[in-house]
Amino acid sequence: MANDAKVSATPAALDLIAKLAAKYGELMFHQSGGCCDGSSPMCFQAGELIIGDSDVLLGYIGGMPFYIGAAQFAYWQHTQLIIDVVLGHGGMFSLEGPEGLRFLTRSKLCPL
């Protein structure tokens, strides 16, 4: 993935995405600024979450679309999001939960 991409994934995240895709089919990701854990993107089966006018398609990880809420994008527009995996349980409805792992968003500043 290009260095100027707005979203990328670590090898561990790409491995988990491939495992989940083999199990569930096409996936999608959504990063919100929700109250529960704003640093954890949610992973859904494609189409399971309705994308609205206030969502921004940031890019693709593992070939799957990654959306971010517009309000969150306003805060993070000058950062690159790096999706990683850590031990633990993600959001209640996120597909990686039963794997004992969760996706985690890390970030770094992009050149202006």
Side-chain angles (χ1 to χ4, degrees):
M1 182 158 288
N3 289 339
D4 61 349
K6 287 291 197 176
V7 63
S8 63
T10 65
L14 292 173
D15 286 346
L16 183 55
I17 292 167
K19 181 178 182 179
L20 293 173
K23 193 173 187 178
Y24 297 106
E26 292 294 310
L27 306 173
M28 63 185 292
F29 290 85
H30 190 273
Q31 177 80 50
S32 72
C35 63
C36 300
D37 190 353
S39 64
S40 292
M42 299 288 286
C43 178
F44 301 100
Q45 285 183 291
E48 188 175 33
L49 178 71
I50 296 172
I51 297 301
D53 292 340
S54 63
D55 294 307
V56 176
L57 176 61
L58 202 58
Y60 293 83
I61 55 173
M64 308 301 172
F66 190 99
Y67 296 90
I68 187 169
Q72 193 72 5
F73 179 72
Y75 290 116
W76 287 359
Q77 63 185 317
H78 299 296
T79 61
Q80 179 190 30
L81 303 187
I82 304 157
I83 308 307
D84 201 359
V85 173
V86 295
L87 291 175
H89 295 284
M92 175 184 294
F93 301 108
S94 196
L95 292 176
E96 80 277 10
E99 305 298 324
L101 300 167
R102 72 180 183 111
F103 290 107
L104 178 74
T105 300
R106 302 180 191 280
S107 63
K108 70 178 184 178
L109 287 176
C110 294
L112 295 175

